[in-house]
């Protein structure tokens, strides 16, 4: 398990020491990238319309529910749901619409700047009045220019215009109108627009750009940009903020929005008082007419009968009759209210309901039920501003309203029955008293009759006017529970931020080329430098061999004073630390696939050994693709395949001498049909035994281990194996393959060689301590 974790760590390892030189080599591109991104960042700040943040503080009183007997705490009183709903209502589109309808935001004015159009508000040279009952061109700039105080020209310079119809339909404007000239102060109507432009400035000539905004687009924009958050989790003070390109308009909008919210709240609070006043007014009109009639009749009767002494007209019978008549009128008034209230409940017209206490009806149960009903109805209206009728909380409130409706109607039945019994009783008493004063003189009876009608009507009129005054006073004394803590003000410009943009541009300019190098390194599939091998390979790397730029592969003989020849000398020296110097050496050179330079390394390693005086032989074991004979200018007529197939049994007849001292070659020979089986025969073992008796160094040039099977079987015949990797050719997966080969098969004395390295880009590491470019390599100087 630990070894697997180690492998995983190794596979994710990124060698910074190898990457940093690659990054430093591209410093001109890094400098160019930083410069270009910085210039781009500068122009970005100039081409970006400035955006400001406007903020205000608004206090929202958390509502205390008066529905203790009817509320479900899990629905209406859970946490801060009430405050959250108020936040949603403030952000809702209906509130935004009523706010914008109070503002003159339907026309935006712009001045042309160096890079962008800047919106202006107030202090504008012209004033545009729009008739939205006619078609209009919206959401694109329209140029207004003038050269005198009389006329102006309308031009359409954008490529995309949209047209809105009075019914709200919007569609692209297919044909852009040509410039036209009109007079200031006159209504202009075409197929595409209707507006009037007044000249408000003193400039003789100038230009300004306007953009017409329909109310729907403004509502979506301002409601969407409004941000609301609580200042503290335990407080109900809200921070209302808005990001806008014109801070003055942003401040005006927020202030108007808060005031509009307060007005709506106050209007809802005044609905009960207003309903009471309206109901009383509807009753007072008829009572006032009756009062005038009775007063006129009373005056006429007195004048005709010359009766002016009021004290003489009074009697105990009259006082009792007046008391009962007053009670009867008031009770009939109550029954009239009960009837209207029942009609409202049946039609669910809750907005027109009047609380009984406002009319002097002191019934605590009925007053409580109707007050709770009105509160719930207001609650439902608030919820519907931000929820659908199918939402659970709205359904719950609707259920409570229906329950209250049923309870009120049941209570109305009881109070109406009691009122009817009382009216019948009063009418019976009045009839009894009326019978008692029939014995009075006719003139006195008529006087009492006129006086009674007048006093009863006057009392009812006084009662109604008193209740109306109380309702009006209540309405006038109402005030909103919420309030504005801080009016809107501009906090800061949030974008573009010049310093931040330039810094980000510089960092991005650095990241792009550096990220490219890192990304290329992460996704690289081939081995690029020796440090990768040293970090990933679980066997030592004995030497780094430079790339051969010459046509000849015999670099040790042809370029003896070059860095590449020194690489093979370094390889020979490092082998001495592994194998005893006085012992006969048999080593094998292989690789994963063809093309990694194993034959090139085999030939030159044999060459450096022969130069030390050791008798060396190079054996071409790759009978599938023989190559060695070409570089030594030998024939491949007989060789290893000839001996192993017993076509020639004398080993000395197949060994070929080279033009170099101490170096013999045993070429592969003609390609046999069964090269793998030939290497497994005892003849190959006998061959190696005879060669060991004749040569100090035997080097086997074997087939690639990743392509053929016989190479692994040769490991048992050698003292040391060199595994060749080639820069920018060998895949990184080959490293893992060799690690697996060593780990699974337990192979010892296997070492790596890094071949074909570019001397200008090499990262020096173990095995190449002598370096390239030391100055004493004369061949390299040339």
């Amino acid at each position: 398990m630990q070894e697997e974790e180690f492998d995983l760590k190794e596979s994710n390892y990124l060698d910074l020491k190898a990457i940093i030189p690659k990054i430093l080599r591209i410093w001109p591109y890094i400098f160019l990238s930083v410069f270009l991104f910085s210039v781009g960042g500068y122009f970005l700040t100039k081409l970006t319309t400035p955006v400001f943040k406007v903020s205000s503080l608004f206090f929202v009183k958390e509502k205390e529910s008066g529905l203790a007997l009817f509320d479900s705490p899990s629905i209406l009183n859970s946490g801060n749901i009430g405050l959250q709903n108020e936040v949603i209502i403030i952000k809702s589109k209906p509130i935004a619409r009523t706010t914008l309808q109070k503002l003159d935001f339907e026309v935006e004015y712009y001045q042309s700047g160096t890079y962008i159009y800047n919106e202006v508000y107030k202090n504008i040279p012209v004033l545009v009045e729009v008739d939205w009952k006619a078609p209009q061109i919206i959401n694109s700039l329209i140029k207004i220019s003038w050269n005198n105080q009389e006329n102006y020209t309308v031009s359409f310079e954008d490529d995309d215009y949209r047209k809105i119809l009075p019914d709200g339909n919007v569609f692209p404007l297919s044909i852009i109108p040509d410039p036209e000239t009109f007079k200031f102060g006159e209504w202009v109507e075409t197929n595409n627009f209707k507006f009037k432009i007044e000249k408000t400035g003193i400039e003789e000539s100038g230009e300004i750009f306007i953009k017409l905004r329909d109310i729907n687009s403004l509502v979506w924009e301002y409601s969407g940009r409004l941000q609301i958050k609580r200042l503290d989790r335990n407080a109900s003070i809200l921070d209302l903020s808005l990001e806008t390109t014109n801070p003055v308009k942003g401040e005006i909008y927020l202030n108007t929005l808060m005031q509009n919210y307060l007005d709506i709240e106050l209007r809802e609070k005044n609905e009960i008082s207003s309903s009471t006043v309206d109901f009383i007014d509807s009753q007072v009109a008829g009572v006032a007419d009756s009062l005038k009639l009775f007063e006129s009749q009373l005056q006429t009767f007195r004048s005709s009968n010359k009766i002016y002494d009021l004290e003489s007209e009074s009697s105990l019978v009259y006082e009792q009759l007046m008391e009962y008549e007053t009670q009867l009128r008031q009770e009939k008034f109550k029954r009239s209210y009960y009837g209207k209230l029942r009609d409202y409940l049946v039609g669910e017209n809750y907005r027109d309901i009047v609380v009984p206490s406002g009319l002097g009806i002191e019934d605590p149960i009925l007053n409580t039920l109707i007050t709770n009903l009105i509160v719930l109805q207001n609650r439902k209206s608030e919820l519907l501003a931000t929820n659908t009728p199918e939402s659970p909380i709205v359904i719950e409130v609707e259920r409570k309203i229906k329950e209250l409706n049923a309870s009120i109607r049941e209570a109305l039945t009881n109070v109406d029955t009691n009122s009817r019994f009382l009216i019948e009783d009063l009418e019976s008493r009045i009839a009894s008293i009326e019978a008692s004063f029939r014995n009075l003189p006719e003139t006195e009876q008529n006087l009492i009759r006129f006086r009674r009608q007048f006093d009863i009507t006057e009392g009812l009129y006084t009662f109604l006017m008193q209740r109306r005054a109380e309702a009006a006073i209540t309405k006038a004394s109402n005030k909103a529970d919420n309030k504005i803590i801080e009016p809107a003000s501009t906090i800061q410009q949030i974008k573009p931020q010049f310093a931040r943009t330039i810094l980000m541009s510089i960092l991005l300019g650095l990241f792009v080329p550096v990220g490219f190098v890192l990304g290329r390194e992460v996704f690289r599939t081939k081995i690029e430098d020796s440090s990768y091998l040293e970090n990933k390979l679980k066997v030592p790397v004995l030497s780094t061999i430079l790339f051969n730029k010459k046509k000849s592969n015999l670099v040790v003989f042809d370029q003896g004073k070059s860095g590449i020849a020194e690489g093979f000398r370094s390889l020979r020296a490092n082998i001495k630390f592994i194998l005893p110097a006085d012992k006969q050496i048999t080593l094998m050179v292989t690789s994963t696939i063809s093309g990694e330079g194993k034959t090139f390394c085999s030939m030159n390693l044999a060459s450096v050994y022969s130069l030390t005086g050791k008798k060396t032989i190079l054996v071409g074991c790759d009978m599938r693709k023989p190559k060695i004979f070409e570089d030594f200018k030998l024939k491949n007529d007989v060789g290893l395949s000839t001996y192993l197939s017993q076509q020639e049994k004398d080993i000395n007849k197949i060994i070929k001498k080279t033009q170099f001292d101490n170096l013999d070659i045993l070429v592969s020979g003609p390609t046999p049909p069964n090269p793998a089986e030939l290497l497994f025969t005892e003849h190959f073992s006998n061959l190696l035994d005879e060669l060991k008796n004749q040569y100090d160094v035997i080097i086997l040039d074997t087939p690639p281990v990743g392509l053929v099977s016989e190479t692994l079987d040769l490991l048992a015949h050698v003292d040391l194996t060199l595994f060749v990797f080639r820069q920018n050719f060998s895949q990184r997966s080959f490293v893992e393959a060799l690690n697996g080969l060593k780990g699974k098969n337990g192979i010892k004395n296997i070492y790596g060689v890094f071949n074909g390295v570019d001397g200008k880009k090499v990262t020096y590491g173990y095995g190449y301590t002598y370096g390239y470019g030391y100055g004493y390599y004369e061949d390299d100087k040339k």
Side-chain angles (χ1 to χ4, degrees):
M1 181 67 181
Q2 293 180 351
E3 185 176 356
E4 291 179 0
E5 293 178 355
F6 172 77
D7 292 342
L8 181 60
K9 293 179 181 179
E10 285 292 317
S11 63
N12 293 331
Y13 175 78
L14 196 63
D15 188 6
L16 294 180
K17 292 183 179 179
I19 294 175
I20 290 176
K22 299 176 184 177
I23 295 175
L24 294 178
R25 281 199 296 268
I26 63 168
W27 71 265
Y29 298 99
I30 296 177
F31 177 80
L32 179 61
S33 177
V34 170
F35 174 76
L36 293 177
F37 274 96
S38 299
V39 171
Y42 171 81
F43 281 104
L44 180 63
T45 59
K46 297 300 180 181
L47 294 172
T48 301
T49 302
V51 177
F52 302 86
K53 185 175 183 180
V54 180
S55 179
S56 63
L57 296 182
F58 189 65
F59 171 76
V60 176
K61 183 178 180 180
E62 296 191 47
K63 296 181 180 179
E64 298 178 1
S65 174
L67 313 177
L69 296 176
F70 306 99
D71 281 352
S72 172
S74 63
I75 297 295
L76 297 178
N77 292 329
S78 56
N80 295 313
I81 289 180
L83 182 60
Q84 294 172 0
N85 286 334
E86 296 302 317
V87 169
I88 296 174
I89 291 172
I90 296 175
K91 283 178 62 69
S92 67
K93 292 178 177 59
I95 296 291
R97 182 178 295 275
T98 55
T99 302
L100 290 166
Q101 286 172 346
K102 299 178 180 180
L103 301 173
D104 55 345
F105 286 2
E106 61 186 15
V107 181
E108 296 176 353
Y109 302 86
Y110 294 87
Q111 289 180 342
S112 178
T114 305
Y115 298 102
I116 58 176
Y117 292 98
N118 300 307
E119 184 180 2
V120 292
Y121 189 71
K122 309 293 186 182
N123 300 323
I124 48 180
V126 297
L127 183 64
V128 181
E129 184 179 351
V130 182
D131 183 1
W132 290 102
K133 295 180 181 179
Q136 299 292 350
I137 297 177
I138 60 172
N139 299 340
S140 294
L141 292 178
I142 302 173
K143 182 180 179 181
I144 308 297
S145 58
W146 63 94
N147 294 317
N148 53 62
Q149 297 288 347
E150 302 294 331
N151 302 316
Y152 64 90
T153 301
V154 179
S155 305
F156 300 87
E157 299 183 353
D158 281 355
D159 296 328
D160 183 23
Y161 287 94
R162 303 185 73 81
K163 183 177 178 179
I164 184 171
L165 299 179
D167 60 4
N169 288 325
V170 179
F171 55 89
L173 187 64
S174 56
I175 302 176
I176 298 177
D178 295 327
E180 293 185 72
T181 301
F182 308 99
K183 288 185 177 296
F184 284 114
E186 295 181 356
W187 279 98
V188 176
E189 183 173 7
T190 69
N191 293 330
N192 298 313
F193 56 84
K194 181 181 180 182
F195 53 67
K196 179 175 67 174
I197 299 181
E198 297 281 357
K199 186 75 168 60
T200 58
I202 60 174
E203 298 87 350
E204 184 67 24
S205 62
E207 68 178 24
I208 196 167
F209 295 84
I210 65 171
K211 182 187 292 185
L212 306 185
R213 301 293 305 276
D214 64 289
I215 187 66
N216 291 328
S217 64
L218 288 173
V219 168
W220 278 92
E221 178 181 339
Y222 279 89
S223 62
R225 290 192 307 189
L226 180 65
Q227 300 295 325
I228 303 178
K229 64 179 181 180
R230 300 176 65 176
L231 287 184
D232 187 86
R233 59 185 296 182
N234 298 319
S236 61
I237 297 179
L238 303 177
D239 178 11
L240 278 63
S241 62
L242 187 72
E243 294 182 4
T244 175
T245 58
N246 192 295
V248 178
K249 290 178 66 175
E251 293 174 8
I252 293 175
Y253 177 79
L254 283 185
N255 290 331
T256 308
L257 175 69
M258 293 186 291
Q259 188 58 50
N260 184 39
Y261 182 81
L262 296 179
D263 294 341
I264 293 175
E265 178 197 359
L266 185 58
R267 186 165 62 249
E268 290 180 352
K269 292 183 69 174
N270 288 335
E271 280 186 355
I272 296 177
S273 299
S274 298
S275 299
T276 303
V277 171
D278 294 340
F279 181 80
I280 293 175
D281 286 343
S282 66
Q283 300 294 318
V284 164
V287 175
D289 292 341
S290 299
L291 181 62
K292 290 180 181 180
L293 174 63
F294 294 144
E295 183 180 14
S296 176
Q297 291 176 348
L298 181 61
Q299 291 292 340
T300 303
F301 182 80
R302 282 175 171 172
S303 299
S304 62
N305 294 277
K306 298 182 179 180
I307 299 176
Y308 301 102
D309 186 8
L310 299 179
E311 293 296 331
S312 63
E313 300 169 2
S314 302
S315 65
L316 180 60
V317 175
Y318 174 77
E319 291 177 355
Q320 290 180 348
L321 187 61
M322 283 298 302
E323 180 182 352
Y324 291 149
E325 287 281 2
T326 301
Q327 293 182 18
L328 180 61
R329 286 292 183 94
Q330 290 182 355
E331 204 61 38
K332 286 183 176 180
F333 174 75
K334 290 181 181 179
R335 285 205 72 187
S336 174
Y337 166 74
Y338 296 151
K340 289 184 177 293
L341 181 58
R342 186 179 291 106
D343 293 339
Y344 291 150
L345 293 174
V346 171
E348 298 185 356
N349 187 13
Y350 302 121
R351 288 291 182 185
D352 296 329
I353 290 179
V354 179
V355 179
S357 60
L359 301 176
I361 303 175
E362 301 300 333
D363 188 318
I365 296 178
L366 189 61
N367 275 291
T368 301
L369 290 172
I370 293 179
T371 301
N372 289 341
L373 177 64
I374 294 174
V375 171
L376 271 178
Q377 179 59 29
N378 291 336
R379 175 68 170 165
K380 177 184 175 182
S381 299
E382 293 177 358
L383 293 174
L384 287 176
T386 55
N387 297 273
T388 63
E390 292 76 19
S391 63
I393 189 169
V394 174
I395 293 175
E396 179 66 17
V397 173
E398 181 66 29
R399 182 186 65 79
K400 292 179 182 296
I401 290 176
K402 291 185 180 299
E403 291 178 356
L404 276 175
N405 189 317
S407 299
I408 294 173
R409 292 168 68 175
E410 182 178 352
L412 277 177
T413 301
N414 296 330
V415 296
D416 185 66
T417 301
N418 295 334
S419 179
R420 180 170 54 83
F421 289 153
L422 181 57
I423 289 173
E424 291 175 353
D425 180 63
L426 289 172
E427 288 176 342
S428 174
R429 292 185 182 185
I430 290 172
S432 176
I433 293 174
E434 285 179 342
S436 67
F437 67 81
R438 287 175 183 166
N439 297 323
L440 295 174
E442 183 178 356
T443 301
E444 190 171 350
Q445 290 184 31
N446 292 333
L447 177 61
I448 292 175
R449 187 178 298 110
F450 286 127
R451 178 64 180 174
R452 183 184 68 177
Q453 291 175 342
F454 173 77
D455 288 347
I456 291 173
T457 305
E458 184 183 36
L460 180 59
Y461 180 79
T462 303
F463 170 78
L464 291 176
M465 293 305 295
Q466 180 182 357
R467 291 300 176 183
R468 187 187 188 284
E470 291 175 355
I473 292 172
T474 301
K475 179 179 178 180
S477 61
N478 277 337
K479 64 178 182 178
D481 295 329
N482 308 320
K483 60 182 177 180
I484 300 173
I485 303 298
E486 286 186 9
S489 60
T490 304
I491 298 178
Q492 61 183 355
Q493 179 178 322
I494 57 176
K495 64 181 182 180
Q497 298 181 10
F498 183 81
R500 181 179 180 181
T501 302
I502 295 300
L503 178 60
M504 292 300 295
S505 299
I506 293 174
L507 294 177
L508 191 59
L510 288 171
F511 174 78
V512 168
V514 173
F516 175 77
V517 173
L518 293 175
R520 187 178 62 176
E521 191 66 24
V522 169
F523 295 103
R524 185 183 296 278
T525 59
K526 296 181 179 180
I527 302 172
E528 187 178 44
D529 45 51
S530 60
S531 61
Y532 180 86
L533 283 179
E534 295 165 7
N535 291 317
K536 293 295 185 73
L537 199 59
K538 293 183 180 179
V539 300
V541 179
L542 292 186
S543 182
T544 299
I545 308 300
L546 298 183
F547 180 72
N548 179 28
K549 298 180 181 180
K550 306 293 184 180
K551 292 183 178 181
S552 173
N553 288 325
L554 301 177
V555 293
V556 172
F557 294 124
D558 298 339
Q559 307 172 47
K561 298 180 180 181
S562 64
I564 188 171
E566 186 61 29
F568 285 105
R569 295 189 184 97
S570 174
L571 176 60
R572 181 189 63 193
N574 288 332
I575 292 176
K576 288 183 180 180
F577 291 101
I578 300 171
L579 300 175
D582 55 348
K583 180 184 176 184
Q584 192 277 335
I585 299 174
T586 301
L587 56 87
M588 181 178 75
V589 181
T590 188
S591 64
T592 305
I593 61 174
S594 178
E596 293 179 286
K598 61 175 184 58
T599 301
F600 172 76
C601 292
S602 300
M603 292 188 297
N604 287 283
L605 182 59
S607 301
V608 294
Y609 272 111
S610 67
L611 292 175
T612 61
K614 291 184 176 291
K615 193 173 182 182
T616 305
I617 184 170
L618 175 61
V619 181
C621 296
D622 190 354
M623 292 179 283
R624 291 180 174 85
K625 296 178 65 176
K627 295 181 180 179
I628 298 176
F629 65 94
E630 295 177 349
D631 293 285
F632 287 98
K633 299 179 181 179
L634 301 174
K635 294 182 178 181
N636 194 36
D637 50 352
V638 292
L640 180 62
S641 61
T642 308
Y643 178 80
L644 295 179
S645 60
Q646 292 296 295
Q647 297 179 17
E648 177 57 62
K649 299 181 180 180
D650 187 357
I651 190 174
N652 294 317
K653 292 183 179 181
I654 61 174
I655 294 176
K656 298 181 181 294
K657 301 291 183 179
T658 66
Q659 66 269 36
F660 307 108
D661 295 337
N662 301 317
L663 180 58
D664 294 340
I665 302 295
L666 178 54
V667 298
S668 301
T671 302
N674 55 345
E677 288 75 8
L678 291 179
L679 290 176
F680 294 158
T681 61
E682 61 179 5
H683 302 299
F684 184 73
S685 300
N686 296 334
L687 172 67
L688 289 181
D689 292 338
E690 293 189 33
L691 292 178
K692 289 178 181 179
N693 293 328
Q694 299 181 30
Y695 294 92
D696 300 318
V697 178
I698 302 173
I699 297 177
L700 305 180
D701 177 31
T702 64
V705 70
L707 299 179
V708 298
S709 58
E710 62 264 24
T711 303
L712 294 177
D713 297 299
L714 300 180
L715 296 174
H717 299 288
V718 299
D719 303 313
L720 182 144
T721 300
L722 297 178
F723 207 97
V724 179
F725 298 92
R726 181 178 171 183
Q727 186 183 44
N728 293 326
F729 184 86
S730 300
Q731 299 290 329
R732 293 190 173 188
S733 58
F734 295 172
V735 175
E736 298 301 326
L738 179 56
N739 291 337
L741 187 65
K742 176 177 174 57
K744 293 179 180 179
N745 298 331
I747 301 173
K748 298 180 180 180
N749 288 342
I750 186 169
Y751 299 91
V753 174
F754 196 29
N755 178 45
V757 179
D758 186 350
K760 295 180 180 179
K761 299 181 180 180
V762 68
T763 301
Y764 298 102
Y766 176 81
Y768 192 54
T769 54
Y770 295 102
Y772 174 70
Y774 260 42
Y776 59 81
Y777 298 132
E778 296 181 4
D779 293 344
D780 291 337
K781 287 183 180 181
K782 296 179 183 178

